[in-house]
């Protein structure tokens, strides 16, 4: 049978770990949170830009605009 209790080590052994292990854990945690924040911010900006670009512009009278421009130039 597996002897998982002895393989994991005792609590005093784990408590005697150097502080660098704790620092590396929080350093990794900080990195993963920063990376997650950047990904979330990117998705938010990309979603907002996609929504903005997908809006259809309002209609405008092309013939009237062309007629006004032609009259300014003195053409038909």
């Amino acid at each position: 049978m597996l002897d998982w209790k002895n393989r994991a080590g005792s609590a005093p052994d784990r408590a005697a770990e150097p502080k660098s292990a704790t620092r590396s854990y929080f350093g990794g945690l900080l990195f993963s949170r920063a990376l997650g924040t950047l990904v979330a911010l990117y998705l938010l900006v990309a979603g907002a830009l996609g929504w903005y670009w997908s809006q259809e512009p309002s209609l405008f009278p092309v013939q009237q605009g062309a007629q006004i421009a032609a009259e300014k130039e003195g053409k038909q």
Side-chain angles (χ1 to χ4, degrees), residues 18-73:
K19 295 293 182 185
S20 63
T22 306
R23 286 186 192 144
S24 68
Y25 171 75
F26 286 117
L29 184 65
L30 181 64
F31 175 74
S32 63
R33 282 190 180 185
L35 184 64
T37 302
L38 285 175
V39 168
L41 185 63
Y42 169 76
L43 290 175
L44 184 68
V45 169
L49 241 118
W51 173 79
Y52 176 73
W53 282 339
S54 69
Q55 300 299 313
E56 188 173 322
S58 60
L59 298 176
F60 58 96
V62 177
Q63 290 178 348
Q64 289 175 358
Q67 187 176 4
I68 292 170
E71 286 174 0
K72 283 183 182 178
E73 293 184 18

